[in-house]
Each structure stands twice: as structure tokens, then as C-alpha cells.
């Protein structure tokens, strides 16, 4: 899950991971275009990302770990 949703830039991503392991985060815009890919070497349960440079809109985030894929949606606003 993503908190806050909607949000203006700094988001906390909660994952279903029960141990400390690396994850890859891919961010897609509403058109399905990947606009960001970021590696997090240690993601125990949650991590923080800064999307303040992204335009307003609907996004899909894909979290890839050794345990598989987790997709979540969120809305980025400028207010």
C-alpha cells in the first residue's frame, strides 16, 4: 500500500515482506510508460520514496522482490 494516497510527493510504501531484502521499484504513468526504476537494497516492510518531481496524475507502482510482484496504485497531486 501507499501512504498518503493521494499525496503531494513523499510517499511511504508498505510491502508484504517479512524480512530485510532488496527490492526493485518500477513506476508507471497512466499511459503505461515506465518513468522511474529504483533499487532499494534493504526494504523491511516499508520504504520511503520522493515523487515530488512527478506531474500530477494516476500511477502504478510495481515492487519486485525475491517473493514475486506487488502492484499498487496511487494519485499524485500538487496540492
Amino acid at each position: 500500500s501507499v501512504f498518503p494516497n493521494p499525496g503531494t510527493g513523499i510517499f511511504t510504501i508498505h510491502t508484504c515482506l517479512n524480512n530485510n531484502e532488496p527490492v526493485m521499484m518500477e513506476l508507471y504513468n497512466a499511459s503505461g510508460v515506465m518513468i522511474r526504476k529504483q533499487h532499494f537494497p534493504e526494504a523491511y516492510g516499508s520504504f520511503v520514496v520522493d515523487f515530488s518531481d512527478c506531474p500530477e496524475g494516476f500511477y502504478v507502482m510495481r515492487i519486485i522482490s525475491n517473493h514475486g510482484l506487488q502492484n499498487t496504485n496511487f494519485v499524485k497531486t500538487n496540492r
Side-chain angles (χ1 to χ4, degrees):
S1 65
V2 178
F3 180 81
N5 189 11
T8 58
I10 305 296
F11 293 89
T12 300
I13 314 306
H14 296 280
T15 70
C16 57
L17 300 175
N18 293 324
N19 55 15
N20 199 13
E21 65 180 82
V23 299
M24 181 67 69
M25 183 273 306
E26 297 176 347
L27 184 64
Y28 297 85
N29 65 16
S31 299
V33 176
M34 186 192 313
I35 59 168
R36 185 173 297 175
K37 187 173 186 176
Q38 189 171 350
H39 179 257
F40 294 88
E42 298 178 348
Y44 185 85
S46 67
F47 55 95
V48 176
V49 291
D50 183 0
F51 296 137
S52 53
D53 61 331
C54 294
E56 286 187 319
F58 175 83
Y59 291 90
V60 176
M61 183 184 307
R62 176 178 281 178
I63 306 299
I64 304 164
S65 72
N66 293 334
H67 291 90
L69 299 175
Q70 180 180 349
N71 291 324
T72 188
N73 305 324
F74 69 94
V75 175
K76 200 280 188 172
T77 66
N78 289 334
R79 298 179 250 139

